[in-house]
Amino acid sequence: MPTYSYACTQCDNRFDIVQSFTDEALSVCSECSGKLRKLFNSVGIVFKGSGFYRTDSRGSASTASEPAKGDSGSSSSSDSSASSGSTAATSTAVAS
């Protein structure tokens, strides 16, 4: 159940109370019978997992560019292996 903070507009009495979501908001101060107002505080948020930090995107960007370099190198090596394979096929035909 959430904790709500209240402050009295007349006597400046401040207190916290645990209430259910379905409970009505308090409106009368218990000390001076003045009008209460609900205080809003900052909410604590914790981000868990990857993708929330600035450094998370840097690591993935550098790894994404590395396969592109590897692809261009592999095409030249496949060209050389294809030419050596055709040489092997010709030498086999000559031997027969």
Side-chain angles (χ1 to χ4, degrees), residues 73-95:
S74 65
S75 64
S76 62
S77 65
S78 64
D79 292 341
S80 62
S81 64
S83 62
S84 65
S86 62
T87 309
T90 355
S91 61
T92 310
V94 172

Side-chain angles (χ1 to χ4, degrees), residues 26-90:
L26 301 178
S27 59
V28 179
C29 179
S30 59
E31 292 187 10
C32 71
S33 299
K35 185 178 178 182
L36 289 176
R37 65 184 175 95
K38 194 180 281 190
L39 302 175
F40 296 97
N41 299 320
S42 61
V43 179
I45 298 175
V46 177
F47 294 106
K48 293 185 177 182
S50 62
F52 293 108
Y53 296 100
R54 192 172 169 190
T55 55
D56 287 346
S57 62
R58 290 183 183 173
S60 64
S62 64
T63 57
S65 64
E66 286 179 23
K69 292 177 184 175
D71 290 344
S72 63
S74 65
S75 64
S76 62
S77 65
S78 64
D79 292 341
S80 62
S81 64
S83 62
S84 65
S86 62
T87 309
T90 355

Side-chain angles (χ1 to χ4, degrees), residues 7-22:
C8 180
T9 57
Q10 293 180 4
C11 69
D12 202 34
N13 177 28
R14 293 176 182 255
F15 60 94
D16 295 334
I17 188 166
V18 177
Q19 291 181 304
S20 174
F21 288 110
T22 57

